[in-house]
């Protein structure tokens, strides 16, 4: 069964360092999402890609966070510099183009747990 | 604008008894509604989805939910709880069939505990 892949699964870093997370969506999924989930809360959408284009990054802290999906397939989320408050689970999800299916059912990867010391 | 409210942060039931997890939503558009489950140290898994077809939606593992437009609710139910149902459950609202800025909103989650 096709799955969304994420790496690394765990990352420990010191504040002010740079970190990067990688996501490989299910093949054929045009839409890719990055979420941040703070312990005890629901996931918060950070950025949504349609192919290689960003369609929603309204909740992305752009002073320190960046995301790219250059070829419209896999994606990288970067934080520079990391802050203590960035400690969270970072989830990647993908879906078929909801404009075609009418429903953006998302498939989630296992996540990257980030700890900033 | 869209929002979703999960009315209970924690629900505890005995094994074999019914489960009810409550979700209310607000949407300026025709909504798509979902329930996801998150087991400890595992990824989010889709339980069921509402897409403006049947208002009673059946999902995996015996769960179902009913879309009630007049009450703006999408409560999740299961007739008989099993120990393996212990997990965190999330209600999700998004704008139906719209790609750009779908404004996907997750609820804050309901932790379901099952007593033996």
């Amino acid at each position: 069964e096709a799955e969304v892949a994420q790496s690394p699964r765990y990352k420990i870093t010191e504040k002010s360092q740079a970190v990067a997370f990688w996501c490989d969506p299910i093949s054929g999924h045009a839409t890719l999402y990055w979420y941040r989930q703070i312990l005890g809360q629901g996931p918060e959408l950070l950025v949504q890609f349609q192919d290689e284009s960003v369609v929603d990054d309204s909740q992305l802290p752009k002073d320190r966070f960046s995301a790219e999906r250059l070829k419209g397939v896999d994606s990288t989320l970067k934080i520079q510099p990391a802050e203590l408050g960035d400690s969270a689970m970072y989830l990647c999800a993908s879906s078929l183009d909801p404009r075609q299916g009418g429903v953006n059912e998302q498939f989630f990867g296992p996540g990257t747990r980030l700890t900033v010391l | 604008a869209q929002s979703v409210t999960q009315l209970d942060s924690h629900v505890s039931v005995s094994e074999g008894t019914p489960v009810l997890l409550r979700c209310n939503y607000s949407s300026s558009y025709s909504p798509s509604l979902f329930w996801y489950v998150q087991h400890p140290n595992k990824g989010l898994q889709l339980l069921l989805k509402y897409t403006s077809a049947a208002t009673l939606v059946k999902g995996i593992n015996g769960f179902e939910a009913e879309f009630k437009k007049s009450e703006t609710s999408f409560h999740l139910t299961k007739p008989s709880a099993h120990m393996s149902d212990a997990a965190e459950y999330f209600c999700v609202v998004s704008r139906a069939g719209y790609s750009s800025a779908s404004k996907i909103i997750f609820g804050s989650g309901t932790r379901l505990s099952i007593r033996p």
Side-chain angles (χ1 to χ4, degrees):
Chain A
E1 182 176 305
E3 295 180 342
V4 176
Q6 288 188 250
S7 67
R9 293 291 307 275
Y10 303 91
K11 179 69 178 179
I12 300 174
T13 190
E14 293 184 346
K15 64 179 182 179
S16 78
Q17 296 298 304
V19 293
F21 313 129
W22 177 80
C23 173
D24 191 14
I26 292 172
S27 178
H29 280 191
T31 311
L32 185 147
Y33 314 79
W34 281 103
Y35 289 87
R36 175 172 59 188
Q37 185 178 19
I38 296 171
L39 191 64
Q41 299 181 19
E44 175 191 21
L45 181 66
L46 292 176
V47 61
Q48 178 182 344
F49 287 93
Q50 186 65 34
D51 299 309
E52 67 278 5
S53 300
V54 173
V55 296
D56 184 0
D57 62 356
S58 56
Q59 299 302 312
L60 189 71
K62 298 181 187 61
D63 57 336
R64 297 185 300 107
F65 286 64
S66 64
E68 59 183 18
R69 193 184 184 199
L70 295 177
K71 297 183 179 179
V73 182
D74 59 335
S75 175
T76 301
L77 177 69
K78 297 179 181 178
I79 307 174
Q80 183 173 16
E83 295 181 353
L84 295 177
D86 296 332
S87 294
M89 177 75 84
Y90 290 83
L91 298 166
C92 179
S94 69
S95 73
L96 294 170
D97 187 341
R99 294 171 298 183
Q100 297 176 355
V103 178
N104 49 355
E105 175 184 343
Q106 298 172 61
F107 296 82
F108 284 82
T112 296
R113 182 168 297 282
L114 173 67
T115 301
V116 182
L117 302 176
Chain B
Q2 297 182 128
S3 67
V4 60
T5 302
Q6 292 185 241
L7 298 168
D8 307 291
S9 60
H10 182 212
V11 170
S12 179
V13 302
S14 297
E15 189 175 20
T17 64
V19 174
L20 170 64
L21 305 183
R22 298 182 294 165
C23 173
N24 285 353
Y25 72 92
S26 172
S27 179
S28 304
Y29 315 102
S30 292
S32 289
L33 293 160
F34 309 81
W35 276 98
Y36 283 84
V37 61
Q38 188 175 36
H39 290 274
N41 299 316
K42 291 190 176 181
L44 284 153
Q45 181 184 19
L46 180 69
L47 275 179
L48 49 80
K49 58 187 176 185
Y50 166 75
T51 60
S52 75
T55 57
L56 182 61
V57 181
K58 294 187 183 298
I60 62 172
N61 300 334
F63 284 93
E64 63 181 38
E66 185 172 8
F67 173 71
K68 293 187 176 181
K69 186 175 181 179
S70 61
E71 299 177 10
T72 61
S73 68
F74 190 58
H75 300 336
L76 182 70
T77 60
K78 182 174 181 177
S80 177
H82 191 272
M83 294 300 291
S84 61
D85 295 328
E88 190 86 15
Y89 291 79
F90 293 97
C91 183
V92 180
V93 63
S94 73
R95 186 175 176 180
Y98 190 74
S99 172
S100 178
S102 300
K103 297 304 181 186
I104 300 158
I105 308 293
F106 274 72
S108 56
T110 298
R111 182 165 60 91
L112 177 63
S113 300
I114 312 296
R115 300 187 299 271

